[in-house]
Amino acid sequence: MEKRKQTFLGTGWGFPPTFRVELGGVEMLSDEKDIESSLDILLSTEVTERIMQPRYGCNLSPFVFEPLNVATQTMIEKIVKDAVTLNEPRIVAEQITIAYVPENGRINIKIEYSIITTNTRYNYVYPFYLNEATNLTR
């Protein structure tokens, strides 16, 4: 079995979990990729969905059919900022912006963040939209 390298920012399972024979276990993500995966999971999880962590998640589904006005944008930004602050201790969310993509009825939630331990800046874009009656990945 291959020895997994230790990283400064941590290592975690990829999502969805992928088991690989050549690795002798589950495929792992490290550093910035692990943070991006964590943000993706956080933003797609409803609060109370996780049994052992009832405060984990981000309640975005009620906004699917809401009009995209200033009040809705501000509320989404606040919900995302609070969720990231509470559940992702490796980063500081510096700015969250909402951009409407009219071609496919989607909003992009852009999170500009800094990694606390390295003071390195990154950004992450979460595409928020409704997949009707499907179980497709983004």
Side-chain angles (χ1 to χ4, degrees), residues 69-134:
N69 54 29
V70 175
T72 304
Q73 285 181 294
T74 305
M75 185 58 79
I76 291 172
E77 289 170 5
K78 181 185 179 347
I79 288 170
V80 171
K81 175 97 172 169
D82 290 349
V84 170
T85 301
L86 182 64
N87 297 295
E88 186 48 77
R90 298 174 289 181
I91 66 172
V92 173
E94 295 172 354
Q95 185 173 8
I96 296 165
T97 54
I98 308 296
Y100 177 59
V101 182
E103 297 83 46
N104 52 15
R106 176 182 82 206
I107 61 170
N108 287 333
I109 302 171
K110 181 178 180 184
I111 304 171
E112 295 180 31
Y113 65 92
S114 293
I115 297 174
I116 293 173
T117 54
T118 63
N119 203 28
T120 309
R121 294 186 63 145
Y122 291 92
N123 66 57
Y124 168 78
V125 177
Y126 178 78
F128 177 61
Y129 57 98
L130 178 66
N131 281 338
E132 291 186 34
T134 63

Side-chain angles (χ1 to χ4, degrees), residues 59-74:
N59 282 338
L60 294 178
S61 63
F63 296 100
V64 169
F65 297 110
E66 291 295 318
L68 191 60
N69 54 29
V70 175
T72 304
Q73 285 181 294
T74 305

Side-chain angles (χ1 to χ4, degrees), residues 12-101:
W13 284 24
F15 189 80
T18 306
F19 295 90
R20 309 240 331 228
V21 173
E22 60 270 13
L23 295 177
V26 71
E27 195 171 295
M28 304 295 275
L29 297 175
S30 297
D31 302 323
E32 294 82 21
K33 293 288 183 194
D34 187 35
I35 291 173
E36 287 180 9
S37 178
S38 293
L39 288 172
D40 192 42
I41 293 167
L42 175 64
L43 284 131
S44 61
T45 302
E46 293 293 314
V47 175
T48 71
E49 189 174 336
R50 286 192 170 184
I51 302 297
M52 299 302 284
Q53 294 180 336
R55 293 175 45 188
Y56 182 87
C58 199
N59 282 338
L60 294 178
S61 63
F63 296 100
V64 169
F65 297 110
E66 291 295 318
L68 191 60
N69 54 29
V70 175
T72 304
Q73 285 181 294
T74 305
M75 185 58 79
I76 291 172
E77 289 170 5
K78 181 185 179 347
I79 288 170
V80 171
K81 175 97 172 169
D82 290 349
V84 170
T85 301
L86 182 64
N87 297 295
E88 186 48 77
R90 298 174 289 181
I91 66 172
V92 173
E94 295 172 354
Q95 185 173 8
I96 296 165
T97 54
I98 308 296
Y100 177 59
V101 182

